[in-house]
Amino acid sequence: MRTSLNEIKETEDYLMDRLSPQDALLFEARLILNPLLSENVEWQKKTYTIITSYARNEIKKEASAVFDKLFNNPEKPGFRNKILSIFHNT
Protein backbone atom coordinates (compact mmCIF):
# COMPACT_ATOMS: atom_id res chain seq x y z
CA MET A 1 0.00 0.00 0.00
CA ARG A 2 2.78 2.41 0.88
CA THR A 3 4.48 1.82 -2.45
CA SER A 4 1.35 2.75 -4.39
CA LEU A 5 0.93 5.94 -2.36
CA ASN A 6 4.54 6.84 -3.07
CA GLU A 7 3.96 6.10 -6.75
CA ILE A 8 0.87 8.33 -6.82
CA LYS A 9 2.83 11.12 -5.14
CA GLU A 10 5.75 10.75 -7.53
CA THR A 11 3.36 10.68 -10.50
CA GLU A 12 1.68 13.83 -9.26
CA ASP A 13 5.04 15.54 -8.85
CA TYR A 14 5.96 14.46 -12.38
CA LEU A 15 2.69 15.68 -13.89
CA MET A 16 2.87 18.97 -12.00
CA ASP A 17 6.49 19.45 -13.10
CA ARG A 18 7.82 19.40 -9.54
CA LEU A 19 10.57 16.82 -10.05
CA SER A 20 14.17 17.80 -10.57
CA PRO A 21 15.38 17.26 -14.14
CA GLN A 22 17.30 14.16 -13.02
CA ASP A 23 14.30 12.67 -11.20
CA ALA A 24 12.00 13.47 -14.14
CA LEU A 25 14.38 11.69 -16.50
CA LEU A 26 14.51 8.67 -14.20
CA PHE A 27 10.71 8.64 -13.95
CA GLU A 28 10.40 8.81 -17.75
CA ALA A 29 12.77 5.85 -18.05
CA ARG A 30 10.59 3.94 -15.61
CA LEU A 31 7.55 4.82 -17.73
CA ILE A 32 9.21 3.21 -20.74
CA LEU A 33 10.14 0.08 -18.80
CA ASN A 34 6.91 -0.32 -16.83
CA PRO A 35 3.68 -0.42 -18.87
CA LEU A 36 1.55 -0.54 -15.71
CA LEU A 37 3.17 2.64 -14.40
CA SER A 38 2.59 4.27 -17.78
CA GLU A 39 -1.08 3.26 -17.69
CA ASN A 40 -1.46 4.58 -14.14
CA VAL A 41 0.07 7.91 -15.17
CA GLU A 42 -2.46 8.19 -18.02
CA TRP A 43 -5.33 7.49 -15.62
CA GLN A 44 -4.00 10.08 -13.20
CA LYS A 45 -3.80 12.63 -16.05
CA LYS A 46 -7.41 11.90 -16.98
CA THR A 47 -8.46 12.25 -13.36
CA TYR A 48 -6.79 15.67 -13.11
CA THR A 49 -8.52 16.74 -16.33
CA ILE A 50 -11.91 15.74 -14.94
CA ILE A 51 -11.25 17.48 -11.62
CA THR A 52 -10.10 20.66 -13.36
CA SER A 53 -13.14 20.65 -15.64
CA TYR A 54 -15.48 20.16 -12.69
CA ALA A 55 -13.84 22.98 -10.73
CA ARG A 56 -14.11 25.34 -13.71
CA ASN A 57 -17.78 24.52 -14.11
CA GLU A 58 -18.41 25.17 -10.43
CA ILE A 59 -16.63 28.54 -10.62
CA LYS A 60 -18.68 29.46 -13.70
CA LYS A 61 -21.89 28.59 -11.84
CA GLU A 62 -20.87 30.72 -8.86
CA ALA A 63 -19.87 33.65 -11.07
CA SER A 64 -23.12 33.40 -12.97
CA ALA A 65 -25.11 33.41 -9.73
CA VAL A 66 -23.25 36.52 -8.52
CA PHE A 67 -23.81 38.21 -11.88
CA ASP A 68 -27.53 37.41 -11.80
CA LYS A 69 -27.82 38.62 -8.22
CA LEU A 70 -26.05 41.92 -8.93
CA PHE A 71 -27.47 42.73 -12.35
CA ASN A 72 -31.02 41.51 -11.88
CA ASN A 73 -31.64 43.01 -8.44
CA PRO A 74 -34.68 45.26 -8.85
CA GLU A 75 -33.72 47.17 -5.70
CA LYS A 76 -30.37 48.30 -7.16
CA PRO A 77 -30.88 49.37 -10.79
CA GLY A 78 -28.22 52.05 -10.39
CA PHE A 79 -25.46 49.47 -9.96
CA ARG A 80 -26.21 47.84 -13.29
CA ASN A 81 -26.39 51.19 -15.07
CA LYS A 82 -23.12 52.33 -13.51
CA ILE A 83 -21.27 49.18 -14.59
CA LEU A 84 -22.71 49.27 -18.09
CA SER A 85 -21.76 52.93 -18.46
CA ILE A 86 -18.14 52.10 -17.65
CA PHE A 87 -17.95 49.66 -20.54
CA HIS A 88 -19.99 51.70 -23.01
CA ASN A 89 -17.79 54.79 -22.61
CA THR A 90 -14.56 53.07 -23.65
Side-chain angles (χ1 to χ4, degrees):
M1 180 69 171
R2 197 74 188 138
T3 302
S4 68
L5 290 177
N6 290 336
E7 187 177 284
I8 290 168
K9 170 75 169 97
E10 187 176 22
T11 300
E12 179 177 325
D13 289 343
Y14 173 74
L15 293 174
M16 300 299 171
D17 216 14
R18 293 188 296 230
L19 292 178
S20 69
Q22 297 86 356
D23 288 340
L25 189 61
L26 182 61
F27 190 81
E28 288 167 0
R30 288 179 41 221
L31 285 173
I32 293 168
L33 297 172
N34 186 343
L36 182 59
L37 176 61
S38 183
E39 184 179 341
N40 289 342
V41 168
E42 287 305 312
W43 280 112
Q44 201 159 337
K45 277 186 201 176
K46 289 177 184 181
T47 301
Y48 290 152
T49 301
I50 291 168
I51 290 168
T52 301
S53 178
Y54 177 80
R56 284 184 184 145
N57 288 336
E58 289 301 305
I59 290 170
K60 285 180 185 177
K61 285 181 195 174
E62 290 175 23
S64 182
V66 169
F67 175 84
D68 288 342
K69 189 173 184 177
L70 289 175
F71 272 64
N72 297 326
N73 186 344
E75 298 169 10
K76 307 273 185 178
F79 175 79
R80 178 186 173 162
N81 295 335
K82 198 179 283 187
I83 297 298
L84 289 176
S85 73
I86 292 171
F87 291 101
H88 288 297
N89 289 332
T90 58

Coordinates of all heavy atoms in Angstrom, one line a residue:
M1 N 0.8 -1.2 0.0 CA 0.0 0.0 0.0 C 0.9 1.3 0.0 O 0.6 2.2 -0.7 CB -0.9 0.0 1.2 CG -1.8 1.2 1.3 SD -3.1 1.2 0.0 CE -4.1 2.5 0.6
R2 N 1.9 1.2 0.8 CA 2.8 2.4 0.9 C 3.5 2.7 -0.4 O 3.6 3.8 -0.8 CB 3.8 2.2 2.0 CG 4.5 3.4 2.4 CD 3.5 4.2 3.3 NE 4.0 5.5 3.6 CZ 3.3 6.6 3.6 NH1 2.0 6.5 3.3 NH2 3.8 7.7 3.9
T3 N 3.8 1.6 -1.2 CA 4.5 1.8 -2.5 C 3.5 2.5 -3.4 O 4.0 3.4 -4.1 CB 4.9 0.5 -3.0 OG1 5.8 -0.2 -2.1 CG2 5.6 0.6 -4.3
S4 N 2.3 2.1 -3.5 CA 1.3 2.8 -4.4 C 1.1 4.2 -4.0 O 1.0 5.1 -4.9 CB 0.0 2.0 -4.5 OG -0.7 2.1 -3.3
L5 N 1.1 4.5 -2.8 CA 0.9 5.9 -2.4 C 2.1 6.8 -2.8 O 2.0 7.9 -3.3 CB 0.7 6.1 -0.8 CG -0.6 5.6 -0.3 CD1 -0.6 5.7 1.2 CD2 -1.8 6.4 -0.9
N6 N 3.3 6.2 -2.6 CA 4.5 6.8 -3.1 C 4.5 7.0 -4.6 O 4.9 8.1 -5.1 CB 5.8 6.1 -2.6 CG 6.0 6.1 -1.2 OD1 5.6 7.0 -0.5 ND2 6.7 5.1 -0.6
E7 N 4.0 6.0 -5.3 CA 4.0 6.1 -6.8 C 3.0 7.2 -7.2 O 3.3 8.0 -8.1 CB 3.5 4.7 -7.3 CG 3.6 4.7 -8.8 CD 3.2 3.3 -9.3 OE1 4.1 2.4 -9.2 OE2 2.1 3.1 -9.8
I8 N 1.9 7.3 -6.5 CA 0.9 8.3 -6.8 C 1.5 9.7 -6.6 O 1.3 10.6 -7.4 CB -0.4 8.1 -6.0 CG1 -1.2 6.9 -6.5 CG2 -1.3 9.4 -6.1 CD1 -2.3 6.5 -5.6
K9 N 2.2 9.8 -5.5 CA 2.8 11.1 -5.1 C 3.9 11.5 -6.2 O 4.0 12.6 -6.7 CB 3.4 11.0 -3.7 CG 4.3 12.2 -3.4 CD 3.5 13.4 -3.0 CE 4.4 14.5 -2.4 NZ 4.9 15.5 -3.3
E10 N 4.7 10.5 -6.5 CA 5.7 10.7 -7.5 C 5.1 11.1 -8.9 O 5.6 12.0 -9.6 CB 6.7 9.5 -7.6 CG 7.9 9.8 -8.5 CD 8.8 8.6 -8.6 OE1 8.5 7.5 -8.3 OE2 10.0 8.9 -8.9
T11 N 4.1 10.4 -9.2 CA 3.4 10.7 -10.5 C 2.8 12.1 -10.5 O 2.9 12.8 -11.5 CB 2.2 9.7 -10.7 OG1 2.8 8.3 -10.8 CG2 1.5 9.9 -12.0
E12 N 2.2 12.5 -9.4 CA 1.7 13.8 -9.3 C 2.8 14.9 -9.4 O 2.7 15.8 -10.1 CB 1.0 14.0 -7.9 CG 0.4 15.4 -7.7 CD -0.3 15.6 -6.4 OE1 -1.0 14.6 -6.0 OE2 -0.2 16.7 -5.8
D13 N 3.9 14.6 -8.7 CA 5.0 15.5 -8.9 C 5.5 15.6 -10.3 O 5.9 16.7 -10.8 CB 6.2 15.1 -7.9 CG 5.8 15.3 -6.5 OD1 4.9 16.1 -6.2 OD2 6.5 14.7 -5.6
Y14 N 5.5 14.5 -11.0 CA 6.0 14.5 -12.4 C 5.0 15.3 -13.2 O 5.4 16.1 -14.0 CB 6.1 13.0 -12.9 CG 6.3 12.9 -14.3 CD1 7.6 13.2 -14.9 CD2 5.3 12.5 -15.2 CE1 7.9 13.1 -16.2 CE2 5.6 12.4 -16.6 CZ 6.9 12.7 -17.1 OH 7.1 12.6 -18.4
L15 N 3.7 15.0 -13.1 CA 2.7 15.7 -13.9 C 2.6 17.2 -13.6 O 2.3 18.0 -14.5 CB 1.3 15.0 -13.7 CG 1.2 13.6 -14.2 CD1 -0.2 13.0 -13.8 CD2 1.3 13.5 -15.7
M16 N 2.9 17.6 -12.4 CA 2.9 19.0 -12.0 C 4.2 19.7 -12.2 O 4.4 20.8 -11.8 CB 2.4 19.1 -10.5 CG 1.0 18.6 -10.3 SD -0.2 19.4 -11.3 CE -1.6 18.4 -10.9
D17 N 5.2 18.9 -12.8 CA 6.5 19.5 -13.1 C 7.3 19.9 -11.8 O 7.9 20.9 -11.8 CB 6.4 20.6 -14.1 CG 7.5 20.7 -15.1 OD1 8.2 19.7 -15.2 OD2 7.7 21.7 -15.7
R18 N 7.1 19.1 -10.8 CA 7.8 19.4 -9.5 C 9.0 18.5 -9.3 O 9.7 18.6 -8.2 CB 6.8 19.3 -8.4 CG 5.7 20.3 -8.4 CD 4.9 20.3 -7.1 NE 4.2 19.0 -7.0 CZ 2.9 18.9 -6.7 NH1 2.1 20.0 -6.6 NH2 2.3 17.7 -6.6
L19 N 9.4 17.7 -10.2 CA 10.6 16.8 -10.1 C 11.8 17.6 -10.6 O 11.7 18.4 -11.5 CB 10.4 15.5 -10.8 CG 9.4 14.5 -10.3 CD1 9.3 13.3 -11.2 CD2 9.6 14.1 -8.9
S20 N 12.9 17.3 -10.0 CA 14.2 17.8 -10.6 C 14.4 17.2 -12.0 O 13.8 16.1 -12.3 CB 15.3 17.4 -9.7 OG 15.6 16.0 -9.7
P21 N 15.2 17.8 -12.8 CA 15.4 17.3 -14.1 C 15.9 15.8 -14.1 O 15.5 15.0 -14.9 CB 16.4 18.2 -14.8 CG 16.2 19.5 -14.0 CD 15.8 19.1 -12.7
Q22 N 16.8 15.5 -13.1 CA 17.3 14.2 -13.0 C 16.2 13.2 -12.6 O 16.1 12.1 -13.2 CB 18.4 14.1 -12.0 CG 19.6 14.9 -12.3 CD 19.5 16.4 -11.9 OE1 18.5 16.8 -11.3 NE2 20.6 17.2 -12.1
D23 N 15.4 13.6 -11.6 CA 14.3 12.7 -11.2 C 13.2 12.5 -12.3 O 12.7 11.4 -12.4 CB 13.7 13.2 -9.9 CG 14.6 13.0 -8.7 OD1 15.5 12.2 -8.8 OD2 14.3 13.8 -7.7
A24 N 13.0 13.6 -13.0 CA 12.0 13.5 -14.1 C 12.5 12.5 -15.2 O 11.7 11.7 -15.7 CB 11.7 14.8 -14.7
L25 N 13.8 12.6 -15.5 CA 14.4 11.7 -16.5 C 14.3 10.2 -16.0 O 14.0 9.3 -16.8 CB 15.8 12.1 -16.8 CG 16.5 11.4 -17.9 CD1 15.8 11.7 -19.2 CD2 18.0 11.9 -18.0
L26 N 14.6 10.0 -14.8 CA 14.5 8.7 -14.2 C 13.1 8.2 -14.2 O 12.8 7.0 -14.6 CB 15.0 8.7 -12.8 CG 15.1 7.3 -12.0 CD1 16.0 6.4 -12.8 CD2 15.5 7.6 -10.6
F27 N 12.1 9.0 -13.9 CA 10.7 8.6 -13.9 C 10.3 8.3 -15.4 O 9.6 7.3 -15.6 CB 9.8 9.8 -13.4 CG 8.4 9.4 -13.2 CD1 8.0 8.7 -12.0 CD2 7.4 9.7 -14.1 CE1 6.7 8.3 -11.8 CE2 6.1 9.4 -13.9 CZ 5.8 8.7 -12.8
E28 N 10.7 9.1 -16.4 CA 10.4 8.8 -17.7 C 11.0 7.5 -18.2 O 10.4 6.8 -19.0 CB 10.9 10.0 -18.6 CG 10.0 11.2 -18.4 CD 10.6 12.5 -19.0 OE1 11.7 12.4 -19.6 OE2 9.9 13.5 -18.9
A29 N 12.2 7.2 -17.7 CA 12.8 5.9 -18.1 C 11.9 4.7 -17.5 O 11.7 3.7 -18.1 CB 14.2 5.8 -17.5
R30 N 11.5 4.9 -16.2 CA 10.6 3.9 -15.6 C 9.3 3.8 -16.4 O 8.7 2.7 -16.5 CB 10.3 4.3 -14.1 CG 11.6 4.1 -13.3 CD 11.4 4.5 -11.8 NE 10.1 4.1 -11.3 CZ 9.4 4.9 -10.4 NH1 9.9 6.0 -10.1 NH2 8.3 4.5 -9.9
L31 N 8.8 4.9 -16.9 CA 7.5 4.8 -17.7 C 7.7 3.9 -19.0 O 6.8 3.2 -19.3 CB 7.1 6.2 -18.2 CG 6.5 7.1 -17.2 CD1 6.3 8.5 -17.8 CD2 5.2 6.6 -16.7
I32 N 8.9 4.0 -19.6 CA 9.2 3.2 -20.7 C 9.3 1.7 -20.4 O 8.8 0.9 -21.1 CB 10.5 3.7 -21.4 CG1 10.3 5.1 -22.0 CG2 11.0 2.7 -22.5 CD1 11.6 5.8 -22.4
L33 N 9.9 1.5 -19.2 CA 10.1 0.1 -18.8 C 8.9 -0.6 -18.1 O 8.9 -1.8 -18.0 CB 11.3 0.0 -17.9 CG 12.7 0.5 -18.5 CD1 13.7 0.6 -17.4 CD2 13.1 -0.5 -19.6
N34 N 8.0 0.2 -17.6 CA 6.9 -0.3 -16.8 C 5.6 0.1 -17.4 O 5.1 1.2 -17.1 CB 7.0 0.2 -15.4 CG 6.0 -0.5 -14.5 OD1 5.0 -1.0 -14.9 ND2 6.3 -0.3 -13.2
P35 N 5.0 -0.8 -18.2 CA 3.7 -0.4 -18.9 C 2.6 -0.1 -17.9 O 1.7 0.7 -18.1 CB 3.3 -1.6 -19.7 CG 4.5 -2.5 -19.8 CD 5.4 -2.1 -18.6
L36 N 2.6 -0.8 -16.7 CA 1.6 -0.5 -15.7 C 1.7 0.9 -15.1 O 0.7 1.6 -14.9 CB 1.6 -1.6 -14.6 CG 0.6 -1.5 -13.5 CD1 -0.8 -1.6 -14.1 CD2 0.8 -2.5 -12.4
L37 N 2.9 1.3 -14.9 CA 3.2 2.6 -14.4 C 2.7 3.6 -15.4 O 2.0 4.6 -15.1 CB 4.6 2.9 -14.1 CG 5.0 4.3 -13.6 CD1 4.3 4.7 -12.4 CD2 6.5 4.4 -13.5
S38 N 3.0 3.4 -16.7 CA 2.6 4.3 -17.8 C 1.1 4.4 -17.8 O 0.5 5.5 -18.0 CB 3.1 3.7 -19.1 OG 2.8 4.6 -20.1
E39 N 0.4 3.3 -17.7 CA -1.1 3.3 -17.7 C -1.6 4.0 -16.5 O -2.6 4.8 -16.6 CB -1.6 1.8 -17.7 CG -3.1 1.7 -17.7 CD -3.6 0.3 -17.7 OE1 -2.8 -0.6 -18.0 OE2 -4.8 0.1 -17.4
N40 N -1.0 3.8 -15.3 CA -1.5 4.6 -14.1 C -1.3 6.1 -14.3 O -2.1 6.9 -13.8 CB -0.7 4.1 -12.9 CG -1.2 2.7 -12.5 OD1 -2.2 2.2 -12.9 ND2 -0.4 2.0 -11.7
V41 N -0.2 6.5 -14.9 CA 0.1 7.9 -15.2 C -1.0 8.5 -16.1 O -1.5 9.6 -15.8 CB 1.5 8.1 -15.8 CG1 1.6 9.6 -16.3 CG2 2.5 7.8 -14.7
E42 N -1.4 7.7 -17.1 CA -2.5 8.2 -18.0 C -3.8 8.3 -17.3 O -4.5 9.3 -17.5 CB -2.6 7.2 -19.2 CG -1.5 7.3 -20.2 CD -1.3 8.8 -20.7 OE1 -2.2 9.4 -21.1 OE2 -0.1 9.2 -20.7
W43 N -4.1 7.4 -16.4 CA -5.3 7.5 -15.6 C -5.3 8.7 -14.7 O -6.3 9.4 -14.5 CB -5.6 6.2 -14.8 CG -6.2 5.1 -15.7 CD1 -5.6 4.0 -16.1 CD2 -7.5 5.2 -16.3 NE1 -6.5 3.3 -16.9 CE2 -7.6 4.0 -17.1 CE3 -8.6 6.1 -16.3 CZ2 -8.8 3.7 -17.8 CZ3 -9.7 5.8 -17.0 CH2 -9.8 4.6 -17.7
Q44 N -4.1 8.9 -14.1 CA -4.0 10.1 -13.2 C -4.2 11.4 -14.0 O -4.8 12.3 -13.5 CB -2.7 10.0 -12.5 CG -2.7 10.9 -11.2 CD -1.6 10.4 -10.2 OE1 -1.1 9.3 -10.3 NE2 -1.2 11.3 -9.3
K45 N -3.6 11.5 -15.2 CA -3.8 12.6 -16.1 C -5.3 12.9 -16.3 O -5.8 14.0 -16.3 CB -3.1 12.4 -17.4 CG -1.6 12.8 -17.4 CD -1.2 12.7 -18.9 CE 0.3 12.5 -19.0 NZ 0.7 12.3 -20.4
K46 N -6.0 11.8 -16.7 CA -7.4 11.9 -17.0 C -8.2 12.4 -15.8 O -9.1 13.2 -15.9 CB -8.0 10.6 -17.5 CG -7.5 10.2 -18.9 CD -8.0 8.9 -19.3 CE -7.4 8.5 -20.7 NZ -7.8 7.3 -21.2
T47 N -7.8 11.9 -14.6 CA -8.5 12.3 -13.4 C -8.3 13.7 -13.1 O -9.2 14.4 -12.8 CB -7.9 11.4 -12.2 OG1 -8.1 10.0 -12.4 CG2 -8.6 11.8 -10.9
Y48 N -7.1 14.2 -13.3 CA -6.8 15.7 -13.1 C -7.6 16.5 -14.1 O -8.1 17.6 -13.7 CB -5.3 16.0 -13.2 CG -4.4 15.5 -12.1 CD1 -3.1 15.1 -12.3 CD2 -5.0 15.3 -10.8 CE1 -2.3 14.7 -11.3 CE2 -4.2 14.8 -9.8 CZ -2.9 14.5 -10.0 OH -2.1 14.0 -9.0
T49 N -7.7 16.0 -15.3 CA -8.5 16.7 -16.3 C -10.0 16.8 -15.9 O -10.6 17.9 -16.0 CB -8.4 16.0 -17.7 OG1 -7.0 16.0 -18.1 CG2 -9.2 16.8 -18.8
I50 N -10.5 15.7 -15.4 CA -11.9 15.7 -14.9 C -12.1 16.7 -13.7 O -13.0 17.5 -13.7 CB -12.4 14.3 -14.6 CG1 -12.5 13.5 -15.8 CG2 -13.7 14.3 -13.8 CD1 -12.6 12.0 -15.6
I51 N -11.2 16.6 -12.8 CA -11.2 17.5 -11.6 C -11.2 19.0 -12.0 O -11.9 19.8 -11.5 CB -10.1 17.1 -10.6 CG1 -10.4 15.8 -10.0 CG2 -10.0 18.2 -9.5 CD1 -9.3 15.2 -9.2
T52 N -10.3 19.3 -12.9 CA -10.1 20.7 -13.4 C -11.4 21.1 -14.1 O -11.8 22.3 -13.8 CB -8.9 20.8 -14.3 OG1 -7.7 20.4 -13.6 CG2 -8.7 22.2 -14.8
S53 N -11.9 20.3 -14.9 CA -13.1 20.7 -15.6 C -14.3 20.9 -14.7 O -15.1 21.8 -14.8 CB -13.5 19.5 -16.6 OG -14.7 19.8 -17.3
Y54 N -14.4 20.0 -13.7 CA -15.5 20.2 -12.7 C -15.3 21.5 -11.9 O -16.3 22.2 -11.7 CB -15.5 19.0 -11.7 CG -16.5 19.1 -10.6 CD1 -17.8 18.8 -10.9 CD2 -16.1 19.5 -9.4 CE1 -18.8 18.9 -9.9 CE2 -17.1 19.7 -8.4 CZ -18.4 19.3 -8.6 OH -19.3 19.5 -7.6
A55 N -14.1 21.8 -11.5 CA -13.8 23.0 -10.7 C -14.2 24.2 -11.6 O -14.8 25.2 -11.1 CB -12.4 23.0 -10.3
R56 N -13.8 24.2 -12.8 CA -14.1 25.3 -13.7 C -15.6 25.5 -13.8 O -16.1 26.7 -13.8 CB -13.5 25.1 -15.1 CG -12.0 25.4 -15.1 CD -11.5 25.3 -16.6 NE -10.1 25.4 -16.6 CZ -9.2 24.8 -17.3 NH1 -9.7 24.0 -18.2 NH2 -8.0 25.0 -17.3
N57 N -16.3 24.4 -14.0 CA -17.8 24.5 -14.1 C -18.4 25.1 -12.8 O -19.4 25.9 -12.9 CB -18.4 23.2 -14.5 CG -18.1 22.8 -15.9 OD1 -17.9 23.6 -16.8 ND2 -18.1 21.5 -16.2
E58 N -17.9 24.7 -11.7 CA -18.4 25.2 -10.4 C -18.2 26.7 -10.3 O -19.0 27.4 -9.8 CB -17.8 24.4 -9.2 CG -18.3 23.0 -9.1 CD -19.8 22.9 -9.0 OE1 -20.4 23.5 -8.0 OE2 -20.5 22.2 -9.8
I59 N -17.0 27.1 -10.7 CA -16.6 28.5 -10.6 C -17.5 29.3 -11.6 O -18.0 30.4 -11.2 CB -15.1 28.8 -10.9 CG1 -14.3 28.2 -9.8 CG2 -14.9 30.2 -11.2 CD1 -12.8 28.2 -10.1
K60 N -17.8 28.8 -12.8 CA -18.7 29.5 -13.7 C -20.1 29.6 -13.1 O -20.7 30.6 -13.3 CB -18.7 28.7 -15.0 CG -17.5 28.8 -15.9 CD -17.7 28.0 -17.2 CE -16.4 28.1 -18.0 NZ -16.5 27.2 -19.2
K61 N -20.6 28.5 -12.5 CA -21.9 28.6 -11.8 C -21.9 29.7 -10.8 O -22.9 30.4 -10.7 CB -22.2 27.2 -11.2 CG -22.6 26.2 -12.2 CD -23.0 24.9 -11.4 CE -23.0 23.7 -12.3 NZ -23.2 22.4 -11.6
E62 N -20.9 29.7 -9.9 CA -20.9 30.7 -8.9 C -20.8 32.1 -9.4 O -21.5 33.0 -9.0 CB -19.7 30.5 -7.9 CG -19.8 29.2 -7.1 CD -18.5 29.0 -6.3 OE1 -17.8 29.9 -6.0 OE2 -18.3 27.8 -5.9
A63 N -20.0 32.3 -10.4 CA -19.9 33.6 -11.1 C -21.2 34.1 -11.7 O -21.6 35.2 -11.6 CB -18.7 33.7 -12.1
S64 N -21.8 33.1 -12.3 CA -23.1 33.4 -13.0 C -24.2 33.8 -11.9 O -25.0 34.7 -12.1 CB -23.6 32.2 -13.8 OG -24.8 32.4 -14.4
A65 N -24.2 33.1 -10.8 CA -25.1 33.4 -9.7 C -24.9 34.8 -9.2 O -25.8 35.6 -8.9 CB -25.0 32.4 -8.6
V66 N -23.6 35.2 -9.0 CA -23.2 36.5 -8.5 C -23.7 37.6 -9.5 O -24.3 38.6 -9.2 CB -21.7 36.6 -8.2 CG1 -21.3 38.1 -8.0 CG2 -21.4 35.8 -7.0
F67 N -23.4 37.3 -10.8 CA -23.8 38.2 -11.9 C -25.3 38.4 -11.9 O -25.8 39.5 -11.9 CB -23.4 37.7 -13.2 CG -23.8 38.5 -14.4 CD1 -23.1 39.6 -14.8 CD2 -25.0 38.1 -15.1 CE1 -23.5 40.4 -15.9 CE2 -25.4 38.9 -16.2 CZ -24.7 40.0 -16.6
D68 N -26.1 37.3 -11.8 CA -27.5 37.4 -11.8 C -28.0 38.2 -10.6 O -28.9 39.0 -10.7 CB -28.2 36.0 -11.8 CG -28.0 35.3 -13.2 OD1 -27.8 36.0 -14.2 OD2 -28.2 34.1 -13.2
K69 N -27.4 37.9 -9.4 CA -27.8 38.6 -8.2 C -27.6 40.1 -8.3 O -28.4 40.9 -7.9 CB -27.1 38.0 -7.0 CG -27.6 38.5 -5.7 CD -27.0 37.7 -4.6 CE -27.6 38.1 -3.2 NZ -27.0 37.4 -2.1
L70 N -26.4 40.5 -8.9 CA -26.0 41.9 -8.9 C -26.8 42.7 -10.0 O -27.3 43.8 -9.9 CB -24.5 42.1 -9.2 CG -23.6 41.7 -8.0 CD1 -22.2 41.8 -8.4 CD2 -23.9 42.6 -6.8
F71 N -26.9 42.0 -11.2 CA -27.5 42.7 -12.3 C -29.0 42.6 -12.4 O -29.6 43.4 -13.2 CB -26.8 42.2 -13.6 CG -25.6 43.0 -14.0 CD1 -24.5 42.9 -13.2 CD2 -25.5 43.7 -15.1 CE1 -23.3 43.6 -13.5 CE2 -24.4 44.4 -15.4 CZ -23.3 44.4 -14.6
N72 N -29.6 41.7 -11.8 CA -31.0 41.5 -11.9 C -31.7 41.9 -10.6 O -32.9 41.5 -10.4 CB -31.4 40.1 -12.3 CG -30.8 39.8 -13.7 OD1 -30.8 40.6 -14.5 ND2 -30.4 38.5 -13.9
N73 N -31.0 42.6 -9.7 CA -31.6 43.0 -8.4 C -32.5 44.3 -8.7 O -32.0 45.3 -9.0 CB -30.5 43.3 -7.4 CG -31.1 43.6 -6.0 OD1 -32.3 43.9 -5.9 ND2 -30.2 43.5 -5.1
P74 N -33.8 44.1 -8.6 CA -34.7 45.3 -8.8 C -34.5 46.4 -7.8 O -34.9 47.6 -8.1 CB -36.1 44.7 -8.8 CG -36.0 43.4 -8.0 CD -34.6 42.9 -8.2
E75 N -33.9 46.1 -6.7 CA -33.7 47.2 -5.7 C -32.5 48.0 -6.0 O -32.3 49.1 -5.4 CB -33.5 46.5 -4.3 CG -34.7 45.7 -3.9 CD -34.5 44.9 -2.6 OE1 -33.4 45.1 -2.0 OE2 -35.3 44.0 -2.3
K76 N -31.6 47.6 -6.9 CA -30.4 48.3 -7.2 C -30.2 48.5 -8.7 O -29.2 48.1 -9.2 CB -29.2 47.5 -6.6 CG -29.3 47.1 -5.2 CD -28.7 48.2 -4.3 CE -28.8 47.7 -2.9 NZ -28.2 48.7 -2.0
P77 N -31.1 49.2 -9.3 CA -30.9 49.4 -10.8 C -29.7 50.3 -11.1 O -29.1 50.2 -12.2 CB -32.2 50.0 -11.3 CG -32.7 50.7 -10.0 CD -32.3 49.8 -8.9
G78 N -29.3 51.1 -10.2 CA -28.2 52.1 -10.4 C -26.9 51.3 -10.5 O -26.0 51.8 -11.3
F79 N -26.7 50.2 -9.9 CA -25.5 49.5 -10.0 C -25.3 49.0 -11.4 O -24.2 49.1 -12.0 CB -25.5 48.3 -9.0 CG -24.2 47.4 -9.1 CD1 -23.0 47.8 -8.6 CD2 -24.3 46.2 -9.8 CE1 -21.9 47.0 -8.7 CE2 -23.2 45.4 -9.9 CZ -22.0 45.8 -9.4
R80 N -26.3 48.4 -11.9 CA -26.2 47.8 -13.3 C -25.9 49.0 -14.3 O -25.0 48.8 -15.1 CB -27.5 47.1 -13.7 CG -27.5 46.6 -15.1 CD -28.8 46.1 -15.5 NE -28.6 45.8 -16.9 CZ -29.4 45.0 -17.6 NH1 -30.4 44.4 -17.0 NH2 -29.2 44.8 -18.9
N81 N -26.6 50.1 -14.2 CA -26.4 51.2 -15.1 C -25.0 51.7 -15.0 O -24.3 52.1 -15.9 CB -27.4 52.3 -14.8 CG -28.8 51.8 -15.2 OD1 -29.0 50.9 -16.0 ND2 -29.8 52.4 -14.5
K82 N -24.5 51.8 -13.7 CA -23.1 52.3 -13.5 C -22.1 51.4 -14.2 O -21.2 51.9 -14.9 CB -22.8 52.4 -12.0 CG -21.7 53.3 -11.7 CD -21.5 53.4 -10.2 CE -22.5 54.4 -9.5 NZ -22.3 54.6 -8.1
I83 N -22.2 50.1 -14.0 CA -21.3 49.2 -14.6 C -21.4 49.2 -16.1 O -20.3 49.3 -16.8 CB -21.5 47.8 -14.1 CG1 -21.3 47.6 -12.6 CG2 -20.7 46.7 -14.8 CD1 -19.8 47.9 -12.2
L84 N -22.6 49.2 -16.6 CA -22.7 49.3 -18.1 C -22.1 50.6 -18.7 O -21.6 50.6 -19.7 CB -24.2 49.1 -18.5 CG -24.8 47.7 -18.2 CD1 -26.3 47.7 -18.5 CD2 -24.1 46.7 -19.0
S85 N -22.3 51.7 -17.9 CA -21.8 52.9 -18.5 C -20.2 52.9 -18.5 O -19.6 53.5 -19.4 CB -22.3 54.1 -17.6 OG -21.6 54.1 -16.4
I86 N -19.6 52.2 -17.6 CA -18.1 52.1 -17.7 C -17.7 51.5 -19.0 O -16.7 51.9 -19.6 CB -17.6 51.3 -16.4 CG1 -17.9 52.1 -15.2 CG2 -16.1 50.9 -16.6 CD1 -17.6 51.3 -13.9
F87 N -18.4 50.4 -19.4 CA -17.9 49.7 -20.5 C -18.4 50.3 -21.9 O -17.9 50.0 -22.9 CB -18.4 48.2 -20.4 CG -17.6 47.5 -19.4 CD1 -18.2 47.2 -18.1 CD2 -16.3 47.1 -19.6 CE1 -17.4 46.6 -17.1 CE2 -15.6 46.4 -18.6 CZ -16.2 46.2 -17.4
H88 N -19.5 51.1 -21.8 CA -20.0 51.7 -23.0 C -19.2 53.0 -23.3 O -19.3 53.4 -24.5 CB -21.5 52.0 -22.9 CG -22.3 50.8 -23.0 ND1 -22.4 50.0 -24.1 CD2 -23.1 50.2 -22.1 CE1 -23.2 49.0 -23.9 NE2 -23.7 49.0 -22.6
N89 N -18.5 53.5 -22.4 CA -17.8 54.8 -22.6 C -16.3 54.6 -23.0 O -15.6 55.5 -23.1 CB -17.8 55.7 -21.3 CG -19.2 56.2 -21.1 OD1 -20.0 56.4 -22.0 ND2 -19.5 56.5 -19.8
T90 N -16.0 53.3 -23.3 CA -14.6 53.1 -23.7 C -14.3 53.1 -25.1 O -15.2 53.2 -25.9 CB -14.1 51.7 -23.2 OG1 -15.0 50.7 -23.7 CG2 -14.0 51.6 -21.7

